[in-house]
Each structure stands twice: as structure tokens, then as C-alpha cells.
Amino acid sequence: MKRITRFFWFCSGAHVGTLKKYPIEHNKYVGIGATIFFTALFASLSGGYAMYFVFSGSAFAVGFAILFGLIWGTAIFNLDRYIVSSIDKQGTTNQQILQASPRILLAIMIGIVISRPLELKIFDKEIRQKLKTAYLKGQHRKIDTLQKTYTQKYAMELQKNNELKKEKDSLETDINRSRYQLNQEVFGDKTNQTSGIVGYGTYAKQKQTVLQEKEERLKTVMDDQGKMDQYLGDRKDYEGLNTMRLFNDHQLDSLANVAGFSDRNWALGQLSYNENGTRDLDTYLAESFISFLFILFECLPVFVKLMSPKGPYDVAISKLSEADIHYAEREKDRNIEVTDSVYDHHVGEEISKRKKIFSAQSDYDIERHSYD
């Protein structure tokens, strides 16, 4: 228990040597340190999970996820530890709140960053379904775009093909009617289109000739239509229309499994909206509550430090800080005094040295002048 307690004291950023002197403060800093530690633990899991999806499909995905999770958790731990330990309890409440405001904003941002990857895991099933729906709609749009492009590009050929089909249908109808009239003429059925004379006479021959002409035209039209259908079919192959298919369930599952972090994050954002664009309040509240939970969890150490009254540890730290400041000031004075003394001594030695040089030079000049 002593080791765990000292570890959480370290996590809280407290000065362990000073904190040990005040048992009344021990539990408070154990709680603050534990909160910081578990926040860093959640951050490590969150970062590792996000990195796993970045390298999803790679043989090293798990290794990268563990490595990044440890680095990310350590970074968040260091930030939280600094945020809490840097709050000074010596000022008024307003001063403390003002001092902690940037740290609270930073804690909120950290909470948002931590919560997002974990939300992706919590709503994994719903995200997969949303992704499959989105991929299927995207495939529909792609096919529709190809079809529209094909229709515009080969509008003249399609129009010609439609005209051939209409002519073919019209000729088939006329041929059936003409063949029926020919039979009536041959068997002597009297109508407004037949003579009523039995046998293969002049009128029957005329009707036979018209029928053959129509049949020959139908054959020509059908040949032209076959060629046009073959050409348009080749164009569909070239444009990719014949090879484009909607995804089946297995393909959709595979696509959802390999979806990257960006796609999953987009799908998570879309979960809070219905198909008609209105807000899905239940899902939106569920996502919001999870985010608020992690934001509150991240801000909790700061709030605990702000709400807790000034204790003996805070006073002792303040006094130690004042003593260190006083020592630094005295150290500065000592260094200034030593520097001045050394400088003065150096100046004195330099003056003495130059005097000796000047005296020696003067004696030398006098002796030489006397000799001359």
C-alpha cells in the first residue's frame, strides 16, 4: 500500500518529501494522482485503438497500436500532472479560477480527443451498419452516374436503336395483320379488305407481295437492330456498365471491416441523424453523455484542486517557494559581490603590471640616453 500511495503521490505532481509531513493531506493527493493515472490509462487505450484502425490490415498493426498507445498515454499523463501541479492555492478564488482557465480548456480538449476513439468502439455495430448503407448508396450513385454518362454520350445511337425497335414492333404487327388478311382472301372471307373470292387470285397475289415486302423490311430492320445492340453492348463494356455490380452482403462486410479511421469517424457523426436529416435525439444524447463523461473525468483533478481548501501542504509548498526565491536572490547577490571583487582584483593587478612595464621602459630609455 505504501508503494501504491507513493506512486499516486508522484502522479499528482506533489512534492513527496513535503507531503509526507502532513498526513491529513495524504488521501486527497492519492485521489488526485489516481484520477490522473486512470485518465492516462484511458488515453492510452483510446490512442492505441485509433492507431490500430490506421494500420488495420498490416501485420504490425497491433505493435504500432501498443507503441502509440504507450506514447500517447505518457504524453497525456505528463500534461495532466503538469496542469494539476501548476495550480497555485495562494491567491483568491477568482484568481485561482482565472489561473486554471487555460488548464481547464486544455483538459476539455484532451477529454474530447480521448473520448472519440472509445466512442468508435462502443458504437462499433451501429457504425458498421451505417458504413454498409453508405457504401451501397455510393455504389448506386456510381452506377447511376455511369448510366447517365453513357446515355448522354451515345444519345444518337440510342435514339436510332429505339426507332428501329419501334419500326420492328410496327412491322411485326402489320405482318400479322397482312398474313391474316391474306388467309381471308385465299379462303374467300368477305370483308372491307378482301374480295370474297375463294382461291389464290390476283388480290391474294397482291397481298402476298405486300407481305413479302414487309417481311424483307423486317429482316433488314432486325439485322440493323442486332448490329446496333452489339455496338451498344460493346460500348457498355468499354464504359464499365456491364461490369459494375452492386455490393453483396459479403463484400459490404469486408468493406466495413477494413474501413479506416476517417470513414468510421464520419459514420459515428452520421449516427445522430435520421434518414430524413432530422436529429436522432437518443443517439445524439448517448454520444454526448459519453463525451461529457470523459471531459468531466479529465477536468476532475483540476476541479478537485480548485475546490479543496488551502491545506498545510499548500502553505508548506508556498513557504518552500518563498525560501527558494529568497535563496535565489541571495545567491544572485553573492555572485554579484564575488564578481565585483574578482573584477576589482583583476583591475588592480592589471594596473600594477602596466606600471611595472612603464617603469622598466623608462629606466631603459634613461640609461640609453646617458650612454649617448
Side-chain angles (χ1 to χ4, degrees):
M1 287 300 296
K2 289 183 178 180
R3 291 183 178 180
I4 295 176
T5 299
R6 290 179 65 87
F7 173 71
F8 285 144
W9 285 351
F10 166 76
C11 294
S12 68
H15 189 273
V16 177
T18 304
L19 184 60
K20 289 172 64 177
K21 301 176 183 178
Y22 306 100
I24 196 173
E25 297 277 66
H26 289 183
N27 290 335
K28 179 175 75 174
Y29 282 91
V30 167
I32 293 175
T35 304
I36 293 175
F37 171 76
F38 285 110
T39 301
L41 180 61
F42 281 123
S44 181
L45 295 174
S46 174
Y49 183 74
M51 188 55 60
Y52 175 78
F53 272 102
V54 172
F55 292 96
S56 180
S58 172
F60 303 99
V62 176
F64 283 131
I66 294 174
L67 178 62
F68 181 79
L70 292 174
I71 295 174
W72 181 247
T74 303
I76 297 300
F77 171 79
N78 183 63
L79 279 174
D80 285 345
R81 189 170 180 269
Y82 167 73
I83 288 172
V84 174
S85 62
S86 61
I87 296 177
D88 186 8
K89 296 293 293 182
Q90 300 307 310
T92 63
T93 301
N94 291 334
Q95 289 175 339
Q96 292 180 35
I97 294 175
L98 183 63
Q99 180 191 34
S101 296
R103 295 163 176 81
I104 293 174
L105 292 176
L106 180 60
I108 291 173
M109 292 301 299
I110 293 173
I112 294 174
V113 172
I114 290 174
S115 65
R116 198 62 175 179
L118 294 179
E119 288 178 13
L120 292 176
K121 183 59 179 176
I122 293 172
F123 294 98
D124 182 67
K125 183 178 179 181
E126 291 79 6
I127 288 173
R128 288 174 179 271
Q129 187 61 42
K130 179 64 72 173
L131 285 174
K132 289 194 287 186
T133 302
Y135 291 148
L136 192 60
K137 288 183 178 179
Q139 192 74 350
H140 272 294
R141 288 193 296 268
K142 190 173 182 179
I143 292 175
D144 291 342
T145 301
L146 286 175
Q147 184 65 50
K148 184 177 180 181
T149 303
Y150 170 82
T151 303
Q152 293 175 348
K153 191 173 182 179
Y154 302 101
M156 294 181 61
E157 289 83 352
L158 289 171
Q159 182 180 359
K160 178 64 177 177
N161 196 39
N162 288 332
E163 291 174 354
L164 289 173
K165 288 180 179 179
K166 290 180 180 179
E167 185 177 359
K168 171 179 171 290
D169 293 338
S170 177
L171 284 171
E172 287 176 344
T173 302
D174 287 345
I175 288 172
N176 290 332
R177 184 171 58 251
S178 297
R179 186 176 288 115
Y180 178 72
Q181 291 175 358
L182 176 60
N183 291 332
Q184 286 180 322
E185 183 67 36
V186 171
F187 290 107
D189 294 338
K190 177 63 177 176
T191 66
N192 58 352
Q193 300 291 332
T194 59
S195 62
I197 302 174
V198 178
Y200 194 77
T202 303
Y203 292 106
K205 292 179 180 179
Q206 291 178 350
K207 292 184 181 298
Q208 179 67 35
T209 301
V210 172
L211 178 61
Q212 290 177 349
E213 291 176 353
K214 290 182 179 180
E215 288 176 342
E216 291 175 358
R217 177 57 186 169
L218 177 61
K219 184 177 182 302
T220 302
V221 169
M222 291 180 65
D223 291 341
D224 292 342
Q225 185 186 0
K227 294 178 181 179
M228 185 62 68
D229 287 337
Q230 180 65 37
Y231 173 77
L232 292 175
D234 293 340
R235 292 297 88 191
K236 281 187 177 182
D237 290 335
Y238 177 77
E239 298 294 340
L241 269 174
N242 289 337
T243 57
M244 185 65 65
R245 296 289 185 273
L246 290 176
F247 296 128
N248 56 38
D249 292 339
H250 178 70
Q251 290 174 322
L252 290 173
D253 289 334
S254 299
L255 289 172
N257 289 334
V258 299
F261 184 83
S262 178
D263 287 347
R264 295 177 66 83
N265 186 58
W266 171 84
L268 178 59
Q270 294 299 311
L271 287 179
S272 57
Y273 292 94
N274 295 314
E275 293 293 334
N276 57 5
T278 59
R279 177 76 74 176
D280 186 351
L281 190 59
D282 293 336
T283 306
Y284 175 73
L285 290 177
E287 293 180 15
S288 301
F289 284 149
I290 294 174
S291 298
F292 292 152
L293 177 63
F294 280 97
I295 291 172
L296 178 61
F297 196 73
E298 178 65 28
C299 296
L300 194 58
V302 180
F303 291 152
V304 170
K305 192 71 179 289
L306 287 175
M307 292 186 298
S308 61
K310 184 192 298 185
Y313 170 78
D314 298 311
V315 176
I317 289 295
S318 176
K319 298 303 180 184
L320 284 175
S321 178
E322 292 177 5
D324 289 340
I325 293 173
H326 178 71
Y327 178 79
E329 292 290 340
R330 296 295 296 169
E331 188 73 9
K332 183 192 72 172
D333 294 339
R334 183 182 69 83
N335 290 334
I336 291 175
E337 185 175 349
V338 170
T339 301
D340 290 342
S341 178
V342 170
Y343 186 79
D344 291 342
H345 177 73
H346 179 73
V347 171
E349 290 294 324
E350 185 68 22
I351 291 173
S352 177
K353 179 181 177 181
R354 293 191 181 187
K355 282 182 178 181
K356 290 179 180 180
I357 294 173
F358 182 75
S359 297
Q361 184 66 37
S362 299
D363 292 342
Y364 174 76
D365 290 342
I366 291 172
E367 289 178 1
R368 191 177 62 177
H369 181 70
S370 297
Y371 177 81
D372 292 342

